[in-house]
Amino acid sequence: MPVKAILTDIEGTTSAVSFVFDVLFPYAREHLPAYIRSHAGEPAVAAQIEAARSESGESGADVERVIEILLGWIASDRKATSLKALQGMVWAQGYRAGQLKGHVYPDAVAALKRWKQEGYGLYVYSSGSIQAQKLIFGCSEAGDLTPLFSGYFDTTSGHKREADSYRRIAAAIGLPAGDVLFLSDVVEELDAAQQAGMQTCGLAREGGTLGAHETVASFALIDPARL
Ligand SMILES: [Mg+2]
């Protein structure tokens, strides 16, 4: 079946896991408290502080307590919606200030550019917020890569390990799931996409294979026309 669109994960796929854990999360952890204290009165930030109170069940938490809660969520890798939104705001500030540059593997940059030229629709599906996705690609070490992508999906489309999420994304793209190639470094995500009818290719940058999925170590080895 011919591939018409390519849907890619970010973390561990287009970009190093270490960028997220060694650069982005520490940056957010370091800058989040001051950012919240100085922007707590702005509607967008106030709304997320309120959402964090609601998500934590601590409706009376003051701003300092909310900061504690958020730092706890970062430490336990809890992907709370309010935390992700606030991290996105902190990262946006860092990217705009030039303190952050998104990591994208050079082989991924080259392949994405080639596939775009060849007429494939390119889409992103990551558990990071859509805003964070646009920042990684928009302020990347290779420049602004956002013109390559036709759409972005996050967990508002559903969990990455559930087949229904991929069915919803295919519908949103406007293609039968079988026309979409999904790229990821996590076998459970590839399984879910395959269950929804998508074609799959695993990225294992250290080598090895991901379940029964075709697995490669670099984007340079992916030929969507041959799948
Ligand atoms: Mg991943």
Side-chain angles (χ1 to χ4, degrees):
M1 218 175 335
V3 169
K4 295 200 178 99
I6 297 162
L7 176 68
T8 185
D9 168 57
I10 297 178
E11 191 185 318
T13 302
T14 61
S15 307
V17 174
S18 62
F19 173 68
V20 178
F21 285 95
D22 298 343
V23 179
L24 284 186
F25 282 151
Y27 187 91
R29 192 165 56 238
E30 185 184 341
H31 292 88
L32 192 70
Y35 182 86
I36 290 177
R37 285 183 198 114
S38 56
H39 298 270
E42 293 171 15
V45 176
Q48 296 306 332
I49 290 172
E50 194 51 40
R53 288 188 182 110
S54 163
E55 282 183 276
S56 65
E58 294 190 33
S59 57
D62 63 13
V63 167
E64 289 305 316
R65 174 60 194 147
V66 169
I67 289 170
E68 268 180 32
I69 291 167
L70 292 164
L71 293 176
W73 287 346
I74 290 175
S76 61
D77 195 26
R78 175 165 161 182
K79 296 178 191 298
T81 306
S82 55
L83 171 62
K84 285 196 292 180
L86 288 162
Q87 283 174 320
M89 294 176 200
V90 172
W91 290 327
Q93 192 182 52
Y95 281 111
R96 276 197 298 269
Q99 292 176 333
L100 288 172
K101 289 238 184 273
H103 174 266
V104 185
Y105 288 110
D107 57 79
V109 174
L112 290 165
K113 286 182 174 173
R114 186 172 68 248
W115 295 337
K116 177 72 175 176
Q117 271 194 330
E118 290 171 354
Y120 294 99
L122 302 180
Y123 299 85
V124 180
Y125 182 28
S126 161
S127 56
S129 70
I130 288 171
Q131 184 198 16
Q133 298 173 21
K134 288 180 175 173
L135 288 167
I136 283 188
F137 289 115
C139 303
S140 87
E141 290 160 3
D144 180 8
L145 302 175
T146 56
L148 298 175
F149 295 104
S150 300
Y152 302 83
F153 301 94
D154 62 11
T155 51
T156 58
S157 294
H159 196 283
K160 294 188 76 186
R161 300 183 182 199
E162 288 168 7
D164 277 345
S165 309
Y166 298 85
R167 293 190 184 101
R168 276 191 282 273
I169 289 171
I173 292 173
L175 286 173
D179 291 359
V180 180
L181 169 64
F182 176 60
L183 311 178
S184 174
D185 63 320
V186 174
V187 68
E188 290 87 351
E189 297 175 6
L190 295 165
D191 287 346
Q194 191 170 59
Q195 208 184 323
M198 286 187 185
Q199 303 188 54
T200 55
C201 182
L203 268 293
R205 295 205 170 260
E206 310 294 323
T209 54
L210 294 166
H213 302 276
E214 171 159 344
T215 306
V216 296
S218 159
F219 273 55
L221 300 170
I222 304 170
D223 181 358
R226 271 192 54 249
L227 286 165

